[in-house]
Amino acid sequence: MQEELLQIKNSAMYFIMDAKNPKELEEIKLDFLGRSGKLTLIMKELAKLPMDKRVEIGRLANEVKNAIEDALQTAEDSFSQKKIDKISRIDISEPGILPTLGHLHLVTQAIDEIAQIFARIGFERVRYPEVEWDYFAFEALNFPKNHPARDDWETFFTTETPHARYGPQVLTPHTSNGQIREMVKNVLPIKMLNIAKTYRRQSDISHTLMFHQFETLCVSENISIADLKGTLAYFAKSYFGEKRKTRIRPYHFQFTEPSFEVDISCGLCNGKGCKFCKEGWLELGGAGMVHPNVLKEVGINPKKYAGFASGFGVERVLMMREDMHIDDLRLLYANKLEFLQQF
Ligand code: PHE
């Protein structure tokens, strides 16, 4: 019986080692320890042995039983451990997790769209300094020395030593410096679109200290107000929709004569008049025919050439799109992802 027990132990160990999966282990368990398992049957035989033998063989049988149970347990554990290993192992054939993708800022998208619209009618985008000398931002644009726009409270001045010829240094308060920068080159005709950052000392629901403007300038022979109107109408229809109409109203700028403010028909009431627009029109920005003084300043003969110019705010036109529903301009630069991700 002793030998039989040892044999049972050996064969059980062999089978356990050889088991391929938990199911096989289950079968082995039944085969040895089940109700009619090999070891169970032998243990039943124990009762027939004389007392002294019974104790000795009984102890051995128990040892064999424990050994088989331990081996079964260890094998089971290693199977479930394999399962865990399999889960945590890197499967390089699995599709990866895409990193989150960003997108261009809302204002950059608007700038690109505006540039594309004007490119279709031949306006070439240019870039000029956004930290500029007074001469280009004011002086050459026919601003008198005491004009309020030159006031500290309207314009940011830097601490840079003033230029001997061009005067103090400013952060561009408008993109009209681009007109001078373009015209002093004296390469005609001119059809430029200057989109740049502009700075003014104003911050509230519809103003940020930094904003953007887009400035058109067209200088050639035979340029009239009709060209200005046509260009602005083309922009308004392309950017806001075919149904929108534009109109110009007399206004005043130092560097244009005549000067206008440009309005667009309200998209909510289609020009009839509503709470949003009051009389059917919304203000887009400024425009006019380049002032003869400005042409003279840059060495262009005002008798031979004429030009029109316009300057609108990028953020302003963006907010005026009915589908935008942005009620505070400052949100554009608050860098809140929850806001920016919507666009
Ligand atoms: N520079 C003017 C402004 O910022 C706009 C403008 C541009 C007006 C060109 C006329 C011509 O208000």
Side-chain angles (χ1 to χ4, degrees):
M1 220 174 210
Q2 223 162 336
E3 242 165 59
E4 241 177 297
L5 278 170
L6 290 175
Q7 231 175 5
I8 285 173
K9 184 183 164 193
N10 284 341
S11 71
M13 291 303 167
Y14 169 79
F15 285 123
I16 291 168
M17 258 171 51
D18 212 37
K20 306 275 184 303
N21 50 49
K23 197 172 164 265
E24 278 187 32
L25 280 182
E26 207 49 48
E27 281 160 13
I28 295 164
K29 193 174 182 174
L30 258 175
D31 210 18
F32 287 90
L33 309 176
R35 275 219 288 159
S36 45
K38 293 186 178 80
L39 189 65
T40 321
L41 292 180
I42 285 233
M43 283 173 116
K44 277 181 190 159
E45 298 284 306
L46 284 180
K48 295 174 194 157
L49 291 176
M51 195 53 183
D52 55 336
K53 283 263 172 190
R54 207 195 297 170
V55 178
E56 200 194 323
I57 307 283
R59 197 184 296 126
L60 183 67
N62 265 330
E63 273 171 28
V64 170
K65 191 175 175 228
N66 289 340
I68 294 174
E69 275 173 353
D70 282 356
L72 278 168
Q73 191 59 52
T74 312
E76 264 168 38
D77 288 351
S78 88
F79 277 123
S80 49
Q81 188 56 42
K82 268 184 200 152
K83 224 173 174 177
I84 291 165
D85 283 351
K86 215 171 177 176
I87 292 165
S88 58
R89 216 186 304 140
I90 294 167
D91 177 358
I92 56 160
S93 69
E94 244 185 55
I97 301 161
L98 281 177
T100 44
L101 274 188
H103 62 68
L104 292 177
H105 189 277
L106 186 51
V107 173
T108 308
Q109 291 179 35
I111 289 173
D112 287 350
E113 192 178 340
I114 292 163
Q116 276 171 27
I117 291 171
F118 280 103
R120 291 204 289 271
I121 50 172
F123 283 81
E124 198 181 321
R125 184 165 175 198
V126 296
R127 283 164 203 272
Y128 289 118
E130 291 165 343
V131 180
E132 182 60 290
W133 300 110
D134 173 279
Y135 175 80
F136 298 95
F138 294 123
E139 187 74 24
L141 285 165
N142 203 31
F143 280 83
K145 285 266 180 281
N146 60 355
H147 193 280
R150 284 174 150 171
D151 199 280
D152 269 11
W153 292 104
E154 285 288 335
T155 300
F156 289 103
F157 287 81
T158 74
T159 52
E160 181 70 29
T161 325
H163 191 283
R165 224 181 114 200
Y166 299 138
Q169 197 177 57
V170 300
L171 303 185
T172 46
H174 57 180
T175 41
S176 300
N177 66 313
Q179 291 189 33
I180 305 301
R181 291 266 177 196
E182 184 72 25
M183 287 191 288
V184 290
K185 293 184 197 163
N186 265 290
V187 185
L188 295 167
I190 292 168
K191 251 181 134 179
M192 72 145 216
L193 177 71
N194 179 32
I195 311 183
K197 289 187 171 69
T198 44
Y199 306 84
R200 290 183 197 174
R201 285 189 172 234
Q202 254 187 330
S203 175
D204 57 41
I205 196 165
S206 55
H207 296 87
T208 46
L209 295 174
M210 186 282 298
F211 59 105
H212 297 79
Q213 282 190 343
F214 57 107
E215 181 109 0
T216 66
L217 173 70
C218 177
V219 183
S220 185
E221 288 169 272
N222 304 317
I223 292 291
S224 75
I225 298 174
D227 299 304
L228 167 69
K229 280 201 76 176
T231 303
L232 298 179
Y234 177 79
F235 165 73
K237 284 182 191 302
S238 310
Y239 191 75
F240 293 102
E242 275 303 313
K243 285 203 196 121
R244 310 296 283 275
K245 293 191 195 70
T246 44
R247 71 172 187 188
I248 52 175
R249 259 184 304 116
Y251 199 70
H252 172 78
F253 292 107
Q254 286 299 129
F255 42 95
T256 47
E257 183 57 38
S259 301
F260 310 105
E261 265 197 333
V262 186
D263 293 340
I264 182 169
S265 58
C266 173
L268 290 181
C269 63
N270 268 320
K272 288 191 200 78
C274 67
K275 256 205 297 198
F276 182 60
C277 64
K278 295 195 182 86
E279 275 151 21
W281 297 92
L282 301 161
E283 187 192 310
L284 266 183
M289 303 306 288
V290 182
H291 199 294
N293 285 356
V294 175
L295 291 175
K296 273 185 235 157
E297 177 69 27
V298 294
I300 294 175
N301 182 357
K303 298 230 161 64
K304 191 171 178 210
Y305 295 99
F308 72 76
S310 70
F312 295 178
V314 172
E315 289 83 353
R316 186 172 164 75
V317 297
L318 175 65
M319 293 207 9
M320 280 170 65
R321 275 198 163 168
E322 304 107 272
D323 55 352
M324 280 324 226
H325 307 297
I326 300 169
D327 52 15
D328 188 340
L329 193 80
R330 291 168 297 192
L331 274 173
L332 294 174
Y333 299 112
N335 288 336
K336 290 213 166 69
L337 277 183
E338 306 90 303
F339 171 76
L340 294 172
Q341 276 164 345
Q342 300 175 83
F343 303 98

